[in-house]
Amino acid sequence: MSAPKKLFIKTYGCQMNVYDSERMAEALGAKGYVPTDTADDADMILLNTCHIREKAAEKVYSELGRFKGLKAEKPDLKIGVAGCVAQAEGQEIMRRQPLVDLVVGPQSYHRLPAMDDAVRSGEKALDTDFPEDDKFDTLRSRAKAKRGPTAFLTVQEGCDKFCAFCVVPYTRGAEVSRPADRIFREAQELVDQGVREITLLGQNVNAYHGHPQGLAGLIWALDKIDGLARIRFTTSHPNDMDEALIAAHGTCDKLMPYLHLPVQSGSDRILKAMNRKHTAENYLRLIERIRAARPDILLSGDFIVGFPGETDQDFEDTMQLVRDVHYGQAYSFKYSTRPGTPAAEKPQLPEDVMNERLQRLQALLREQQQATQASMVGREVKVLFEKAGREVGQMIGKSEYLHAVYAKAPAEVLGQVRRVKIIEDSPNSLAGALVD
Ligand code: 5AD
Ligand code: SF4
């Protein structure tokens, strides 16, 4: 038998790509590939890319340029581009970077084994179709190896919302939900392999309709799996937060008190121009209902500053919304023009205006994040321990609120949910002590 071929996958962007990279590794595992964590000894390099902002897309080309020397030393090395840049730019990638042998869009990963045959026989391979068949059905079931205590599980892909700034509806296509029974089986398999926490993923995960009762129905179905301790989901759209899902935050013990609910802007004028189909007021009322169901929920969000036409007053409205909500954590970005999206046609704001607004917004968000972390000191949380820390005897896990928590603990806590009293907060984590 010949030596196994080595596969190096570098993942950019969101958690859906992390999940997809795992599934690509499994698909190519069937062709004799084993994962490696350096590009240097790989027989195939795959970049699983992100197209959400210009910087993310450009990174791919600079990374590809760095493989020139490797490819010269090792002519059998195959280089592939997957993910959203692959979908958006297709053939153009091979034109711009002739080193690339393979381009595969996010809906075609189940075709990787056949594409591997093609590139091994010296051809170039390109597949950016949106096939009718479900790629996850055709991919082998997940490898039987033992896993860590947390896992991602994609339940929904694509987006029909068409926010004016966003490439996702073009790169990932229309909203598609995987049937609940298949997700249930996959979740059960993960739990059998040692997983205690599953994060359900989707570009618009709360628009999930693979269960008659939507995402809440799926969560309640997964709630029945013995051994599964925690359920999370991301990313949600405010307009798809239905009553059942809000209620589940108060009544489903396995559903964690953390919600990422992007609003993007606090100005109704800008929200309209963004085609968000909700107002700032709608969002604030929604947050009230969610907090009524689960008062301690930690809220997270996404913001864009400098959307075309954003005035000083529009930006102040965003700052005010942030003050009104008080986020535990959030992401904020300068608007980035994406070719093919409606907002790309509009006059852009000067860079220095965007920079100044981003700095102010980030300072406010940081202040709120730090205040939230500081408020945890003295409280008891439940931590799912995931790995050993750098210091001897130290273990790291996540609280219900997704805070990283360090504690001195024996190795046996790995994979367990344990009570921890928080002693100290630092900018990105909390330190605590085991209670029992
Ligand atoms: N420019 C800046 N940020 C963007 N996002 C999406 N598209 C753009 C863009 N063109 C942000 C949004 C979204 C997050 C995933 O990325 O805030 O919620
Ligand atoms: Fe993009 Fe808007 Fe869809 Fe989110 S809801 S993926 S921001 S189009």
Side-chain angles (χ1 to χ4, degrees):
M1 219 179 100
S2 58
K5 289 171 285 182
K6 290 190 178 160
L7 172 67
F8 173 69
I9 304 185
K10 182 158 180 177
T11 308
Y12 300 84
C14 67
Q15 291 146 331
M16 305 211 29
N17 271 7
V18 175
Y19 177 83
D20 281 350
S21 290
E22 264 186 36
R23 309 306 302 267
M24 284 194 273
E26 286 159 18
L28 286 167
K31 299 288 298 179
Y33 282 93
V34 295
T36 172
D37 47 19
T38 96
D40 296 345
D41 65 356
D43 299 285
M44 179 176 304
I45 297 173
L46 281 180
L47 300 184
N48 192 7
T49 62
C50 172
H51 201 250
I52 197 92
R53 285 169 289 275
E54 191 181 357
K55 262 205 196 123
E58 278 308 313
K59 248 192 239 159
V60 175
Y61 288 100
S62 58
E63 186 75 29
L64 285 170
R66 266 182 251 143
F67 296 138
K68 211 173 199 156
L70 264 183
K71 183 108 173 178
E73 276 168 33
K74 212 169 165 182
D76 282 345
L77 168 65
K78 301 297 173 193
I79 296 179
V81 178
C84 295
V85 176
Q87 190 65 45
E89 299 186 6
Q91 196 93 53
E92 177 62 22
I93 299 172
M94 290 179 179
R95 225 171 286 137
R96 235 178 112 174
Q97 184 45 274
L99 289 178
V100 173
D101 302 287
L102 180 160
V103 173
V104 59
Q107 302 310 323
S108 304
Y109 296 152
H110 52 304
R111 295 179 175 167
L112 271 169
M115 295 175 82
D116 178 60
D117 290 339
V119 296
R120 290 285 153 209
S121 66
E123 294 165 30
K124 298 245 177 195
L126 172 101
D127 193 332
T128 52
D129 288 351
F130 283 98
E132 287 292 306
D133 44 337
D134 175 355
K135 65 174 175 183
F136 297 121
D137 278 358
T138 331
L139 288 170
R140 293 181 335 139
S141 69
R142 290 183 135 187
K144 293 285 172 276
K146 196 124 182 80
R147 306 180 144 267
T150 63
F152 294 133
L153 204 171
T154 293
V155 304
Q156 179 279 336
E157 281 193 279
C159 183
D160 296 339
K161 299 284 188 291
F162 291 93
C163 296
F165 50 81
C166 187
V167 285
V168 166
Y170 312 97
T171 54
R172 291 273 177 164
E175 277 173 14
V176 179
S177 297
R178 299 176 65 203
D181 55 343
R182 298 221 181 89
I183 293 164
F184 187 87
R185 276 204 300 276
E186 198 175 324
Q188 182 69 64
E189 260 177 55
L190 288 168
V191 171
D192 292 345
Q193 291 162 32
V195 169
R196 309 286 323 275
E197 172 183 304
I198 292 179
T199 302
L200 306 174
L201 298 180
Q203 260 100 26
N204 237 309
V205 72
N206 59 344
Y208 177 78
H209 55 260
H211 186 284
Q213 276 85 47
L215 186 63
L218 177 66
I219 289 168
W220 282 111
L222 299 178
D223 179 70
K224 295 196 182 70
I225 298 180
D226 279 341
L228 179 63
R230 296 178 155 190
I231 303 168
R232 302 181 186 276
F233 62 89
T234 197
T235 287
S236 299
H237 191 288
N239 292 358
D240 292 315
M241 279 308 291
D242 64 25
E243 207 44 59
L245 190 55
I246 296 172
H249 276 286
T251 51
C252 178
D253 289 342
K254 291 188 181 178
L255 184 58
M256 291 293 103
Y258 178 100
L259 180 65
H260 182 66
L261 195 63
V263 65
Q264 315 295 354
S265 168
S267 151
D268 287 344
R269 231 175 49 81
I270 295 298
L271 287 169
K272 193 160 198 300
M274 285 177 164
N275 193 32
R276 290 286 296 180
K277 302 195 179 77
H278 61 76
T279 62
E281 187 61 22
N282 295 155
Y283 182 81
L284 291 171
R285 295 292 80 82
L286 177 60
I287 298 289
E288 270 174 16
R289 286 163 58 212
I290 295 164
R291 281 192 167 134
R294 181 77 204 222
D296 63 337
I297 198 160
L298 190 145
L299 291 167
S300 162
D302 288 341
F303 295 89
I304 296 178
V305 300
F307 185 80
E310 186 185 72
T311 62
D312 285 341
Q313 184 54 50
D314 293 323
F315 176 68
E316 293 307 330
D317 291 349
T318 299
M319 295 289 279
Q320 190 52 46
L321 179 137
V322 171
R323 285 184 207 105
D324 291 344
V325 173
H326 202 282
Y327 289 89
Q329 203 258 331
Y331 304 90
S332 47
F333 313 98
K334 277 190 285 185
Y335 170 71
S336 168
T337 310
R338 306 313 292 132
T341 58
E345 309 297 321
K346 305 209 178 132
Q348 308 296 303
L349 258 60
E351 194 65 22
D352 55 341
V353 172
M354 289 206 264
N355 284 335
E356 203 250 339
R357 288 180 188 170
L358 186 68
Q359 273 179 23
R360 278 190 56 208
L361 176 61
Q362 290 190 337
L364 177 60
L365 291 168
R366 211 176 307 119
E367 205 181 289
Q368 296 192 343
Q369 177 177 330
Q370 245 125 67
T372 306
Q373 303 220 149
S375 75
M376 300 306 297
V377 176
R379 277 181 61 183
E380 192 179 295
V381 294
K382 291 198 180 108
V383 175
L384 171 58
F385 283 97
E386 293 173 26
K387 58 185 181 195
R390 247 180 270 142
E391 279 174 34
V392 185
Q394 189 186 52
M395 296 289 158
I396 307 177
K398 297 268 168 56
S399 75
E400 333 46 338
Y401 309 102
L402 212 55
H403 285 129
V405 178
Y406 291 74
K408 287 252 182 285
E412 73 196 35
V413 301
L414 288 179
Q416 296 178 355
V417 177
R418 299 287 291 261
R419 290 158 61 203
V420 172
K421 178 141 186 198
I422 302 301
I423 299 166
E424 201 184 326
D425 66 304
S426 48
N428 294 310
S429 63
L430 299 170
L434 283 187
V435 171
D436 49 12

